[in-house]
Amino acid sequence: MEKETGFVGKAEEFLQMFKKGEEFTKELLKENEKLRYRIAQMEESIQRSADEARIKLYENRIGLLEEELNSLKKRFRQVEEENKDFASKYIEVEEENNNLANLYVASYQLHSTLDFSEVLRIVLEIIINLIGAEKFAVLLIDEKTNELVPVSAEGMAVSDAPKVKIGQGRIGSVAKEGESFFSDDLAGAAELNPLEPIVCIPLKIKEHVIGVISIYKLLTQKEGFTNVDYELFNLLAGHAATAIFSSKLYTQSERKLTTIQSFLDLLKEKPRK
Amino acid sequence: MPNILVVEDSPTMRQLISFAIKRIPNSHVIEATDGVDALKKLSSGKVDLILADINMPVMDGLKLVSLVRGNPAYKSIPVIIVTTEGAEEDRKRALSIGANAYLPKPIQTQELIRLVNTYLAH
């Protein structure tokens, strides 16, 4: 009986111990679960903070790239503007170059000869081909009569061009004042009026007027004057005057020289007889 | 090297056109004073393009164009007319005879160079 009671007591004791062990194991499992949860939370938090750091990094980089892009866009716009500037300057330089070539050729041709009629022909060529006039006349001052006398014309007969007293009418005034005249209406009247040119340019050596160029009609395709036309008019006013004057003097002196030479030859021949 | 024949009786215009043409790289200008002179120059060497005036003594530009177009040896050479005649009927007449382009004077150098380059590229 006693033995039996001792066995039961030990079994109960064992059962108690087992139950405690079970409870302990359960607590351990619970604790383990909590710890796992904590670890998962911590891992998640670490992951989140890593992502945030990466996002921050990316945002910084995006910011920098955007700044760079904006600065590149700005530079691109500047270069584009500079390109436009260069293109327009190039066109201007080209135009200037062409204008200078025109002026050079005109000046070169005017001074290429000392033959009076050749110089007049070159003046006509310049007015027709470079300025684009269809009807015009060149008038020179006759010092004896103080009159402007036509010496050459294009698109009209020389005889149709007027003889004008200095100071008389539009043409005479240009010769007197030495100032160019440009009509507001370049188309001019339908009927040619030799006393009413649309453009009249004095031919001047310094301030001394030797004649005028009187333009009555422009070529159909010539709608108006450009800067180079005014430059050509200036060139004609000066260079054509010098070329005409010097060639006239040269021709006169040549003629005189021939006369003198003939006299000398005559004088040389007489004593022989 | 393109050879360009400039047919012009005016020395001023010949010099001006030659000046402009020389700005085309490697180009070479041959000058003729009228249509007859131009035909002589055509027979004595290779010409890639002709720039011709209309109003010229001895033989005018239109007669030259018709002779060039009628000659199998020259008919493919492009011809550009450079003239003071600015009326539309003159232009039509020149083009109907066989000119490739028509440029009224006073010429714009850029336009002349552009036309020459266009027909040299053909």
Side-chain angles (χ1 to χ4, degrees), chain A residues 1 9 12 31 52 54 67 69 98 110 115 124 136 149 151 166 179 185 194 200 204 212-213 256 258 261:
Chain A
M1 191 65 181
E12 267 181 20
E31 197 61 34
E52 274 170 10
R54 213 173 294 138
E67 259 175 46
L69 181 71
N98 295 335
L110 279 172
D115 185 292
L124 298 193
F136 58 92
V149 180
V151 289
I166 308 288
E179 295 292 328
D185 176 24
C200 193
K204 292 197 292 188
V212 298
I213 294 168
K256 277 179 187 165
T258 315
Q261 191 62 49

Side-chain angles (χ1 to χ4, degrees), chain B residues 22 55 68 84 88 97:
Chain B
K22 279 173 192 163
N55 301 319
V68 164
T84 50
E88 190 51 31
I97 287 170

Side-chain angles (χ1 to χ4, degrees), chain A residues 130-133 218-226 229, chain B residues 105-106:
Chain A
L130 273 68
I131 288 172
L218 299 178
L219 291 169
T220 325
Q221 62 272 25
K222 183 83 181 178
E223 287 165 353
F225 294 128
T226 59
D229 293 323
Chain B
K105 293 177 190 173

Side-chain angles (χ1 to χ4, degrees), chain A residues 94 98 109 125 129 221, chain B residues 10 12 15-16 23 84 105:
Chain A
E94 272 285 288
N98 295 335
Q109 290 292 332
E125 276 185 11
N129 295 303
Q221 62 272 25
Chain B
S10 151
T12 311
Q15 193 186 14
L16 191 74
R23 287 165 62 186
T84 50
K105 293 177 190 173

Side-chain angles (χ1 to χ4, degrees), chain B residues 35-72:
Chain B
V36 173
D37 192 22
L39 290 173
K40 272 188 215 157
K41 301 276 164 69
L42 273 168
S43 64
S44 60
K46 184 182 166 283
V47 169
D48 299 286
L49 188 138
I50 301 169
L51 282 164
D53 187 13
I54 289 185
N55 301 319
M56 289 182 291
V58 191
M59 184 194 287
D60 68 26
L62 295 179
K63 178 77 182 161
L64 173 69
V65 176
S66 60
L67 287 174
V68 164
R69 288 293 171 253
N71 188 324

Side-chain angles (χ1 to χ4, degrees), chain A residues 5 58 73 88 92 102 125 131-132 155 169 178 185 192 204 229 249:
Chain A
T5 314
Y58 285 151
K73 275 184 183 170
S88 66
E92 269 176 40
N102 282 8
E125 276 185 11
I131 288 172
D185 176 24
L192 186 136
K204 292 197 292 188
D229 293 323
L249 282 183

Side-chain angles (χ1 to χ4, degrees), chain A:
Chain A
M1 191 65 181
E2 249 175 57
K3 255 185 185 177
E4 202 174 306
T5 314
F7 180 76
V8 170
K10 273 187 181 174
E12 267 181 20
E13 201 178 314
F14 179 75
L15 203 66
Q16 284 292 324
M17 268 178 67
F18 186 78
K19 273 185 184 168
K20 273 185 186 170
E22 190 193 0
E23 271 171 27
F24 182 69
T25 308
K26 275 183 184 167
E27 271 174 30
L28 274 177
L29 283 171
K30 218 173 174 179
E31 197 61 34
N32 182 277
E33 192 64 27
K34 273 184 190 168
L35 285 169
R36 276 171 183 252
Y37 181 69
R38 283 284 306 273
I39 288 167
Q41 270 186 328
M42 283 173 80
E43 272 179 353
E44 202 177 304
S45 145
I46 289 166
Q47 183 68 37
R48 205 179 308 130
S49 62
D51 283 351
E52 274 170 10
R54 213 173 294 138
I55 287 167
K56 189 94 182 154
L57 194 74
Y58 285 151
E59 277 175 355
N60 283 344
R61 285 195 68 183
I62 288 169
L64 284 172
L65 287 169
E66 269 175 358
E67 259 175 46
E68 207 173 329
L69 181 71
N70 285 338
S71 110
L72 283 171
K73 275 184 183 170
K74 202 175 157 188
R75 184 84 193 104
F76 177 75
R77 277 194 294 271
Q78 277 175 345
V79 171
E80 216 173 27
E81 283 300 311
E82 278 170 9
N83 262 355
K84 273 184 203 164
D85 263 11
F86 282 132
S88 66
K89 269 183 193 144
Y90 178 78
I91 292 168
E92 269 176 40
V93 169
E94 272 285 288
E95 220 173 277
E96 197 65 27
N97 198 5
N98 295 335
N99 293 349
L100 285 172
N102 282 8
L103 295 173
Y104 167 77
V105 169
S107 166
Y108 179 92
Q109 290 292 332
L110 279 172
H111 297 294
S112 64
T113 178
L114 278 171
D115 185 292
F116 180 63
S117 53
E118 184 89 348
V119 170
L120 283 180
R121 185 188 56 76
I122 292 165
V123 171
L124 298 193
E125 276 185 11
I126 292 169
I127 303 172
I128 301 166
N129 295 303
L130 273 68
I131 288 172
E134 192 179 318
K135 284 182 185 169
F136 58 92
V138 179
L139 297 95
L140 295 180
I141 293 176
D142 183 336
E143 301 288 351
K144 287 174 198 161
T145 59
N146 208 27
E147 255 185 349
L148 284 158
V149 180
V151 289
S152 187
E154 179 67 33
M156 61 196 282
V158 177
S159 55
D160 286 343
K163 275 188 178 179
V164 183
K165 286 269 178 206
I166 308 288
Q168 195 180 64
R170 185 85 70 198
I171 299 171
S173 300
V174 169
K176 190 183 176 189
E177 309 294 334
E179 295 292 328
S180 301
F181 162 76
F182 295 94
S183 166
D184 292 331
D185 176 24
L186 288 179
E191 287 268 315
L192 186 136
N193 180 353
L195 292 170
E196 283 300 328
I198 53 169
V199 174
C200 193
I201 309 291
L203 296 168
K204 292 197 292 188
I205 298 170
K206 288 204 173 168
E207 292 311 308
H208 178 65
V209 177
I210 65 150
V212 298
I213 294 168
S214 196
I215 300 176
Y216 302 100
K217 193 176 178 225
L218 299 178
L219 291 169
T220 325
Q221 62 272 25
K222 183 83 181 178
E223 287 165 353
F225 294 128
T226 59
N227 286 341
V228 73
D229 293 323
Y230 292 109
E231 294 289 339
L232 277 165
F233 284 131
N234 282 338
L235 180 130
L236 281 171
H239 288 240
T242 319
I244 288 172
F245 190 73
S246 51
S247 63
K248 207 173 166 186
L249 282 183
Y250 183 77
T251 310
Q252 280 170 356
S253 63
E254 277 283 284
R255 210 177 300 143
K256 277 179 187 165
L257 193 71
T258 315
T259 316
I260 292 166
Q261 191 62 49
S262 305
F263 268 121
L264 284 172
D265 290 344
L266 207 70
L267 286 169
K268 277 178 195 169
E269 275 173 26
K270 270 194 173 175
R272 274 183 225 153
K273 283 178 184 176

